[in-house]
Amino acid sequence: MTRPSTDAVVIGSGPNGLAAAVTLARAGLEVTVLEAQSVPGGGARTLDSQLADGLRHDLCSAVHPLALASPFFAALDLPARGVDLVVPEVSYAQPLDGGRAAVAYRSLDRTVAELGVDGGAWRDLLAPLVEHERLLTALILGNRRELPPGLLTGPGLRAVAAAVTRLLEQGTPAWNLRFRGGEAPALLTGVAAHSIARLPSLAAAGTALMLATNAHGAGWPVPVGGSQAITAAMIADLEAHGGRVVTDCEVTSWRELPRARTYLADLAPAGLLRIWGDRMRPSVRAALGRFRHGNAAAKVDYVLSGPVPWADERMAGAGTVHVGGSRADMAHAEAQVADGVLPARPMVLFSDPALHDPTREVGGLRPGWAYAHVPAGHPADVTDLVTAQIERFAPGFRDVVVASRCIPAARMAEHDANYVAGDIAAGALSAWGMIARPRLSINPYAAGIPGVYLCSQSTPPGPGVHGMSGWHAARIALRQRFGLPAPSLAP
Ligand SMILES: Cc1cc2nc3c(=O)[nH]c(=O)nc-3n(C[C@H](O)[C@H](O)[C@H](O)COP(=O)(O)OP(=O)(O)OC[C@H]3O[C@@H](n4cnc5c(N)ncnc54)[C@H](O)[C@@H]3O)c2cc1C
């Protein structure tokens, strides 16, 4: 039997798979996306969690620091496509023991004013980066092989120098030198901890500096309706250009695939090896086989009868809350995770999207979104640990919890095979990994088989809902396989 044929097949409909599909379809190719799960979107899905009638939870991403800052999304222009991105006035906050908190407002001035003794140090750390947010974001979200326009100018080089010196400071034991109090370092460490890595480290400092810069720049938006709104906008554009998404279609071997001139895999290296391992160049197969996954997240979805009663009322409007205590507390918890130990007081990320999007509240109930950092593959239900951490800074939290459920790290891959053992970044975050992700190669997207490319967050620039890995990989596929330039993404 002859297999059907098409121009391009994308495996996986996460943000990067869809970014690749949209790019290829806009270049005039016939594109089919094959998705294992019944709902497309990967890490950008908003689903009925079956906890309360009509209430929907973001399965993975909830807050989108890169939805406005990513060059791919900026070009796609999500707001022009009807995605309502609400930018909270408080980008993120860090509750501390004793009823206090440190707060990162979108306004740098207000943040500095409320950080007291370390206000000046905060401004000195971030103001030079915020001034060049677009350029630095384009550099960090680049493919590590090309430089963004404007970088090799006086202001561009000064911005890079400012970023590098701050990276070396915050990514090393020198990280406490600039601070005198406890609030500012805790505030920054909450962002650094997104990397789920030992602290301090260069990769964590890079994460902190980029996201903290975005927090005072484009902001950390919450999409009305949840993350699925971003997925829906990309699928609408794909379909408008003749593409399609087929769900409930898990690909296990290249033999099942339609014939195509190119394949883009929105997969972790393990998924790529499973499908194409027997056809891959041995050196590439060996290199991808050595790919290292990181530690993990265990998700907790809450149904809440009202907002969280944070002890510090300035936190009431925070888009994201980093629940981990002081800098030393968080460094200790992340070190335990790195050592394979489940912390008694884990690092927790929390968001209450209904604060910014009233459509998320149904019948007086609202979704509470949380996850805790745990060792890779850990089977624990962490609900009690997460609840206790939040209660520590919000006495009475237990009284607003109506229902909850946990997805342990060991079960995350059932919802998205890329999250191997609960590794939500699909690859450990390390300084070396920034250069050699997924392997050391001139073309990190090449899968070692002509026409096959990896386009997931396991490739540069790495984790987050930004679409950039898909965009970079699709541009290479267009050039190498079809001799076509990158298309416009404008609505
Ligand atoms: C709990 C959690 C919280 C997060 N919070 C945030 C956040 O607030 N903000 C943020 O920016 N990022 C967040 N992230 C990270 C973000 O979700 C990811 O960085 C992003 O989704 C990666 O996109 P991707 O397209 O590379 O892969 P994914 O989104 O993982 O998509 C991969 C897709 O491929 C499919 N697939 C896998 N194997 C196969 C197969 N064999 N056949 C067919 N299909 C297959 C999967 O089902 C999935 O749909 C979070 C992630 C998790 C898990």
Side-chain angles (χ1 to χ4, degrees):
M1 197 173 71
T2 43
R3 293 188 282 152
S5 74
T6 183
D7 292 326
V9 170
V10 177
I11 304 170
S13 67
N16 283 314
L18 290 176
V22 162
T23 305
L24 298 171
R26 280 181 159 255
L29 304 187
E30 187 183 52
V31 182
T32 302
V33 180
L34 305 176
E35 167 56 51
Q37 301 284 331
S38 55
V39 176
R45 276 176 290 169
T46 311
L47 303 172
D48 184 344
S49 51
Q50 317 272 317
L51 288 171
D53 265 359
L55 208 66
R56 288 157 61 81
H57 282 85
D58 288 305
L59 180 68
C60 302
S61 59
V63 181
H64 291 272
L66 302 169
L68 289 166
S70 148
F72 172 79
F73 281 134
L76 198 67
D77 197 347
L78 290 171
R81 295 163 186 281
V83 181
D84 191 358
L85 294 168
V86 182
V87 183
E89 199 190 323
V90 175
S91 294
Y92 59 96
Q94 183 79 31
L96 297 164
D97 288 321
R100 298 169 305 128
V103 179
Y105 296 93
R106 184 147 177 236
S107 158
L108 180 60
D109 288 343
R110 190 170 172 195
T111 309
V112 165
E114 293 189 19
L115 276 178
V117 65
D118 282 326
W122 190 266
R123 186 190 296 285
D124 176 70
L125 181 74
L126 292 173
L129 309 185
V130 175
E131 191 189 333
H132 296 285
E133 182 194 11
R134 281 177 80 95
L135 183 68
L136 291 172
T137 305
L139 177 65
I140 291 172
L141 294 186
N143 58 13
R144 313 264 183 272
R145 307 295 184 272
E146 294 165 303
L147 296 179
L151 194 82
L152 298 178
T153 60
L157 291 173
R158 277 195 296 280
V160 172
V164 170
T165 50
R166 284 154 179 77
L167 185 72
L168 292 175
E169 173 199 300
Q170 286 304 309
T172 62
W175 69 333
N176 281 321
L177 288 182
R178 79 166 50 233
F179 297 118
R180 286 186 284 157
E183 296 181 5
L187 192 60
L188 191 66
T189 307
V191 197
H194 280 237
S195 56
I196 319 186
R198 220 177 266 281
L199 299 167
S201 73
L202 290 175
T207 304
L209 292 171
M210 182 181 80
L211 294 179
T213 297
N214 298 144
H216 296 305
W220 286 17
V222 175
V224 168
S227 298
Q228 197 79 44
I230 295 176
T231 297
M234 286 201 277
I235 292 178
D237 191 74
L238 173 67
E239 290 177 347
H241 290 87
R244 65 189 185 120
V245 180
V246 182
T247 53
D248 295 305
C249 182
E250 181 188 2
V251 179
T252 60
S253 162
W254 58 268
R255 294 175 185 81
E256 303 158 4
L257 292 167
R259 283 185 193 284
R261 286 177 65 190
T262 191
Y263 298 90
L264 279 85
D266 185 14
L267 304 173
L272 187 77
L273 285 166
R274 182 176 168 218
I275 295 169
W276 270 288
D278 60 347
R279 280 186 55 198
M280 229 172 245
R281 271 207 322 273
S283 59
V284 177
R285 187 167 59 231
L288 292 180
R290 288 192 296 271
F291 183 78
R292 266 196 337 109
H293 276 278
N295 280 304
K299 180 85 191 304
V300 181
D301 292 317
Y302 290 103
V303 176
L304 305 176
S305 60
V308 178
W310 298 110
D312 186 322
E313 61 189 23
R314 292 175 304 156
M315 294 187 48
T320 301
V321 183
H322 300 128
V323 192
S326 67
R327 169 170 269 190
D329 290 343
M330 290 180 277
H332 177 62
E334 294 299 306
Q336 285 184 301
V337 169
D339 290 338
V341 175
L342 178 66
R345 288 181 154 184
M347 178 70 205
V348 171
L349 281 84
F350 177 86
S351 181
D352 174 355
L355 285 175
H356 316 285
D357 171 11
T359 70
R360 300 296 296 277
E361 196 177 308
V362 179
L365 299 176
R366 58 211 290 139
W369 171 98
Y371 68 86
H373 294 175
V374 302
H378 206 286
D381 179 331
V382 296
T383 308
D384 289 346
L385 295 181
V386 172
T387 302
Q389 273 290 63
I390 299 175
E391 179 83 27
R392 172 179 165 198
F393 305 106
F397 172 63
R398 284 197 175 88
D399 299 336
V400 300
V401 175
V402 174
S404 62
R405 69 139 191 208
C406 175
I407 306 175
R411 304 197 60 176
M412 288 292 287
E414 293 169 21
H415 301 269
D416 181 335
N418 289 13
Y419 301 140
V420 175
D423 170 16
I424 66 174
L429 285 181
S430 65
W432 176 243
M434 301 286 278
I435 301 160
R437 187 178 177 101
R439 65 192 171 96
L440 195 58
S441 166
I442 292 169
N443 178 1
Y445 307 95
I449 302 167
V452 182
Y453 303 89
L454 199 58
C455 72
S456 72
Q457 61 173 339
S458 302
T459 63
V465 175
H466 45 61
M468 292 298 291
S469 303
W471 162 249
H472 292 311
R475 282 190 310 145
I476 293 175
L478 282 173
R479 194 174 64 236
Q480 292 186 342
R481 303 298 290 175
F482 302 91
L484 289 172
S488 160
L489 298 172

